[in-house]
Amino acid sequence: MTWLQALVLGLVQGLTEFLPVSSSAHLRIVSSVFFGDDAGASFTAVTQLGTEAAVLVYFAKDIWRIIVAWFTTLTEKMSARSREMVPITDQVTTKLPIVTAGGPVPYGLDEDRQRELDYRIGWYVIIATIPIGVIGFVLKDQIRTGARNLWLVSFMLIAFALVIAAAEHYGAKRRSIEQLTNRDGLVMGFAQCLALIPGVSRSGATSSAGLFLGLEREAAVRFSFLLAIPAVTASGLFSLPDAFEPAGEGLNASGPQLLVATIVSFVVGYASVAWLLKFVSKHSFNWFVGYRIVLGLVIMGLLAGGVVSAT
């Protein structure tokens, strides 16, 4: 891999990770069209660590609040169970406060309600991550090789554009993130598995599932970002050794090249996530549907004309 490839692909990763256009598809396409080779699934997974770091920084307060609420509430519930065997006159009646080194965690007007929501979201993220963890591990070889065929990538860009359009059309978009349920988390977790195929888009799959379930667009996108953190982080760390010596298709990248590409994806990704959240609060995903279809058709045309190779 050249330094130009590393810089360009890091930029592409940061620009496209959070948009419902599939960053893995864009890395695959840019690698083939402009550089004549595939950067590889492992390089893609590692550079995604940069964009996930951007999510961690952007949502740092929310993530910290969820972690604290999850551990605190779980501890409190376990303590309540143990107190069931204690005589009522000996039970402690004060509530366990949520306090950090910097003082009480701010929860807004209704601390109990916010803490319960954060506790539930913490569980939803944990449970919804299990499907992609299992499927991703079982199909890791296919993901690194056959799934990166450009015919498949271009087809999925077009096919899933129609899914996103259907979600926008049929989704009620009435339920806020406070109304998130365990069923929502599971459905969006299974939808995330589709993102293992380049061309689908992680944010597109999970957000579309949220819209079909009746969630507001911004609520679906926010939970989609939180849901991606454990899966993408684990995938990136797992793929790190293979990025240097790809087991399947892919270019060899040096440590400095991977580092720079990841830093570039972090900086650009941070700006992208802020922009997308503002965009979806006022606009639909249909803006991206047309782009996906046009891109898919263009790649099919290049493949049919022999300009680029499918593998």
Side-chain angles (χ1 to χ4, degrees):
M1 180 172 291
T2 67
W3 275 103
L4 178 60
Q5 287 173 307
L7 289 170
V8 170
L9 295 177
L11 177 63
V12 171
Q13 168 63 30
L15 284 173
T16 59
E17 170 66 20
F18 304 114
L19 306 181
V21 296
S22 180
S23 62
S24 56
H26 278 72
L27 288 177
R28 176 70 180 91
I29 291 169
V30 171
S31 295
S32 294
V33 174
F34 295 101
F35 301 116
D37 208 339
D38 183 8
S42 295
F43 178 86
T44 300
V46 172
T47 54
Q48 284 177 334
L49 291 174
T51 46
E52 285 313 303
V55 172
L56 289 172
V57 173
Y58 190 87
F59 290 106
K61 292 182 179 179
D62 293 334
I63 293 170
W64 175 247
R65 196 182 65 234
I66 290 171
I67 292 174
V68 171
W70 188 84
F71 279 105
T72 303
T73 306
L74 185 63
T75 301
E76 183 176 308
K77 289 180 181 293
M78 293 175 65
S79 298
R81 289 183 179 179
S82 65
R83 288 199 301 268
E84 291 178 358
M85 302 301 295
V86 178
I88 188 96
T89 54
D90 297 331
Q91 291 186 11
V92 179
T93 57
T94 56
K95 297 186 67 174
L96 185 64
I98 302 178
V99 179
T100 67
V105 177
Y107 281 116
L109 297 177
D110 191 341
E111 294 185 5
D112 289 339
R113 184 178 178 185
Q114 182 65 61
R115 183 173 66 169
E116 181 61 28
L117 171 64
D118 292 334
Y119 174 71
R120 288 192 290 110
I121 289 179
W123 271 119
Y124 298 160
V125 170
I126 292 172
I127 294 172
T129 300
I130 296 174
I132 195 171
V134 174
I135 295 175
F137 180 78
V138 172
L139 300 179
K140 61 182 183 298
D141 293 334
Q142 289 81 358
I143 294 169
R144 292 173 175 174
T145 54
R148 299 183 69 78
N149 185 290
L150 278 179
W151 279 111
L152 176 61
V153 171
S154 56
F155 172 78
M156 293 308 299
L157 280 169
I158 297 171
F160 214 81
L162 302 179
V163 174
I164 295 173
E168 275 288 353
H169 181 74
Y170 294 105
K173 295 184 281 290
R174 295 175 181 172
R175 298 166 53 218
S176 66
I177 198 166
E178 286 82 6
Q179 296 172 293
L180 202 68
T181 66
N182 187 49
R183 174 175 169 267
D184 299 329
L186 278 174
V187 172
M188 293 176 73
F190 277 103
Q192 184 178 216
C193 297
L194 297 173
L196 294 171
I197 307 172
V200 171
S201 167
R202 185 186 307 273
S203 62
T206 51
S207 297
S208 293
L211 292 180
F212 277 123
L213 291 166
L215 291 175
E216 296 173 346
R217 193 181 298 108
E218 189 173 0
V221 171
R222 281 183 173 273
F223 184 71
S224 173
F225 287 164
L226 294 174
L227 181 58
I229 292 174
V232 173
T233 302
S235 175
L237 295 176
F238 180 79
S239 301
L240 190 57
D242 188 61
F244 296 98
E245 296 181 5
E249 299 176 10
L251 298 172
N252 291 344
S254 67
Q257 287 173 333
L258 275 173
L259 178 61
V260 169
T262 303
I263 292 174
V264 170
S265 70
F266 166 77
V267 175
V268 179
Y270 186 87
S272 296
V273 67
W275 176 83
L276 182 61
L277 284 173
K278 292 181 180 179
F279 182 85
V280 299
S281 64
K282 300 178 180 180
H283 304 86
S284 75
F285 283 135
N286 287 329
W287 287 86
F288 303 104
V289 170
Y291 169 78
R292 290 176 61 107
I293 293 175
V294 171
L295 178 61
L297 291 174
V298 168
I299 299 305
M300 285 183 173
L302 293 176
L303 289 167
V307 178
V308 295
S309 172
T311 58

